[in-house]
Amino acid sequence: AWVGKHETLLSRLTTQQLEVLRHLARGLSVKEVARLMHVTVKAVDSQKYRLMKSLGIHDRVLLAHFALEHGLIAADQPE
């Protein structure tokens, strides 16, 4: 049930939210993500807030775990 619920929610995330999720899950800071994506820190913060709210995850460690479990990042993926 947990996996099905999160897969449904994952499909609702925007492409930009998925990109933010992948970067944050790899351990990058909001500032680093903003620089990589060529957007403002505020834009990344906003996307982070929305995706965490959508997924019901409010902890970056759990966010990384979620991304790993759903194949959004690889365990051995370099930064």
Side-chain angles (χ1 to χ4, degrees):
W2 184 85
V3 172
K5 175 186 172 191
H6 281 283
E7 286 177 354
T8 300
L9 293 175
L10 187 61
S11 68
R12 294 181 190 168
L13 297 180
T14 67
T15 302
Q16 190 173 37
Q17 287 171 332
L18 286 170
E19 186 176 357
V20 168
L21 172 58
R22 286 184 186 102
H23 288 313
L24 293 175
R26 288 179 35 232
L28 298 179
S29 70
V30 170
K31 187 175 180 179
E32 290 169 321
V33 174
R35 185 175 30 94
L36 280 172
M37 293 178 66
H38 306 286
V39 297
T40 65
V41 170
K42 185 175 180 177
V44 174
D45 260 336
S46 177
Q47 293 295 340
K48 181 182 92 168
Y49 171 79
R50 287 185 187 127
L51 76 90
M52 291 177 91
K53 186 175 180 182
S54 292
L55 297 174
I57 298 173
H58 305 288
D59 179 285
R60 284 197 52 173
V61 173
L62 293 176
L63 191 65
H65 179 73
F66 176 88
L68 185 61
E69 286 285 313
H70 289 83
L72 298 174
I73 60 168
D76 59 352
Q77 184 174 3
E79 289 188 28

